[in-house]
Amino acid sequence: MISLVLILLAGQTDPTSPTSVDDVVVEGIRDAARAYVAQTIRPRRRGQPVAQIARWSAPVCVRVIGPERASARALEVGVMQTLKSLDVPTAGARCTPNAVIAVTDSPAEFSQQVARRRRFALFANDGASMQAFVQPGPKMRWMHRITQGGGPAPGSMSLTTDAQGSEPGGTATPAGRTMFSGGGAGTVIALPQSRIELSTEAQIDRAMIVIDTRVAEAAPRQPLIDYLAYTVAVDRADADDGKRGGVASLIGSEGLRDPAAVLTDQDVSFVRALYESNDRRSASMQGVDIINRMERQAREREAHRNE
């Protein structure tokens, strides 16, 4: 903004700078979308993401355990309604749960039990992922079971990855294509560097969220529902991330952080853009597609406000 004012005062024009208030607004919208996506994606190498932002491969079915049944059912309904409002595919009545939210007085002990009993079904016996999930401190933790697979997309190539390297292929073995997140400390398989666009189709097929009862009771009800829905839908990079604001700032690893946090327009735009985006694109191109969609939604909101 300052550079624009200086150019106008000098009576000069700069073809690389915005030339109107509208241009400034558009640039601000795009910069905000870029920053949001950059804080959400998982580890980067040389400025580029090494993995797609995963999304659910099948309709989500949420089950809440821990509270008495009426309260648990109300929480389930609320989370499913928020997911639906964000355009995340949701299952119908009497569905089989694939996203479990556990509200417990002992999150660390409960998580340890889950890791012991479901070490193969949920963690593929991955020690690093289990260790991240069962660490004793956090009052809030989650894991997403993420598979990477699918055939090649137009103009791209699908690569399988394992500890030894990579080779062209269509469908990989589960051990070579599964990533986990445990409050931002999970294991991520890094794709090899290549000039070929990588199409990985990172897909969530299971989720487990564990939250301390005291934190759940202290949080405002609707923000808690929105926070849980957002955490089910998005494999966030950091459980303790409060930098960008929005609903992700509601709860951190130590407990309730910002009781005033709500589901913002950017939160909504991001989730909708993620689930609308083409998952057959490379990680970098997927990010660009999401940013473009977020920008378009923001401009539509701005135009509507100005009517």
Side-chain angles (χ1 to χ4, degrees), residues 30-42 44 49 51-53 230 234-237 241 244 266 269-271 273-274 283-295:
R30 189 162 187 81
D31 288 344
R34 284 197 192 101
Y36 190 104
V37 173
Q39 291 177 359
T40 305
I41 62 175
R42 292 197 161 271
R44 301 170 71 88
Q52 287 180 327
I53 305 173
Y230 186 90
V234 180
D235 180 42
R236 291 191 287 129
D241 176 24
R244 67 169 176 263
Q266 270 203 321
S269 292
F270 172 75
V271 178
L274 170 62
S284 296
M285 291 306 298
Q286 183 210 34
V288 171
D289 187 32
I290 290 171
I291 290 168
N292 289 339
R293 293 173 186 274
M294 289 180 69
E295 179 185 359

Side-chain angles (χ1 to χ4, degrees), residues 174-211:
R177 296 301 276 277
T178 306
M179 304 187 298
F180 302 91
S181 65
T187 300
V188 176
I189 298 172
L191 297 176
Q193 291 187 12
S194 173
R195 293 184 179 180
I196 302 174
E197 294 284 301
L198 300 179
S199 176
T200 55
E201 294 184 65
Q203 298 175 346
I204 304 171
D205 63 8
R206 294 287 186 277
M208 167 68 74
I209 297 172
V210 181
I211 183 171

Side-chain angles (χ1 to χ4, degrees), residues 37-269:
V37 173
Q39 291 177 359
T40 305
I41 62 175
R42 292 197 161 271
R44 301 170 71 88
R45 181 177 58 230
R46 296 184 181 180
Q48 297 300 319
V50 297
Q52 287 180 327
I53 305 173
R55 64 187 186 185
W56 282 87
S57 58
V60 182
C61 179
V62 174
R63 177 63 51 84
V64 176
I65 60 175
E68 54 92 14
R69 189 55 198 151
S71 297
R73 180 57 184 160
L75 199 56
E76 287 171 6
V77 170
V79 171
M80 291 286 279
Q81 287 176 342
T82 296
L83 287 169
K84 190 173 295 186
S85 74
L86 295 172
D87 296 337
V88 177
T90 55
R94 300 181 182 276
C95 56
T96 301
N98 52 16
V100 176
I101 299 170
V103 183
T104 172
D105 294 334
S106 306
E109 290 81 355
F110 179 85
S111 300
Q112 290 167 2
Q113 291 181 22
V114 170
R116 282 196 302 268
R117 297 178 183 180
R118 297 290 185 267
R119 61 183 302 143
F120 291 99
L122 289 177
F123 298 94
N125 202 31
D126 182 86
S129 298
M130 287 188 289
Q131 185 61 36
F133 187 66
V134 304
Q135 54 186 314
K139 304 296 184 184
M140 164 73 185
R141 65 194 72 201
W142 71 81
M143 63 81 63
H144 292 93
R145 190 174 77 174
I146 298 173
T147 60
Q148 292 183 326
S156 66
M157 184 174 186
S158 178
L159 301 181
T160 62
T161 64
D162 55 29
Q164 287 70 44
S166 63
E167 61 182 7
T171 304
T173 61
R177 296 301 276 277
T178 306
M179 304 187 298
F180 302 91
S181 65
T187 300
V188 176
I189 298 172
L191 297 176
Q193 291 187 12
S194 173
R195 293 184 179 180
I196 302 174
E197 294 284 301
L198 300 179
S199 176
T200 55
E201 294 184 65
Q203 298 175 346
I204 304 171
D205 63 8
R206 294 287 186 277
M208 167 68 74
I209 297 172
V210 181
I211 183 171
D212 190 291
T213 303
R214 291 169 288 274
V215 176
E217 291 176 347
R221 182 165 183 77
Q222 190 57 49
L224 174 65
I225 287 173
D226 293 342
Y227 176 91
L228 293 172
Y230 186 90
T231 305
V232 167
V234 180
D235 180 42
R236 291 191 287 129
D238 184 0
D240 205 27
D241 176 24
K243 295 178 182 177
R244 67 169 176 263
V247 76
S249 299
L250 181 70
I251 298 172
S253 60
E254 299 303 317
L256 185 65
R257 182 198 289 111
D258 181 7
V262 295
L263 198 65
T264 64
D265 286 343
Q266 270 203 321
D267 292 332
V268 173
S269 292

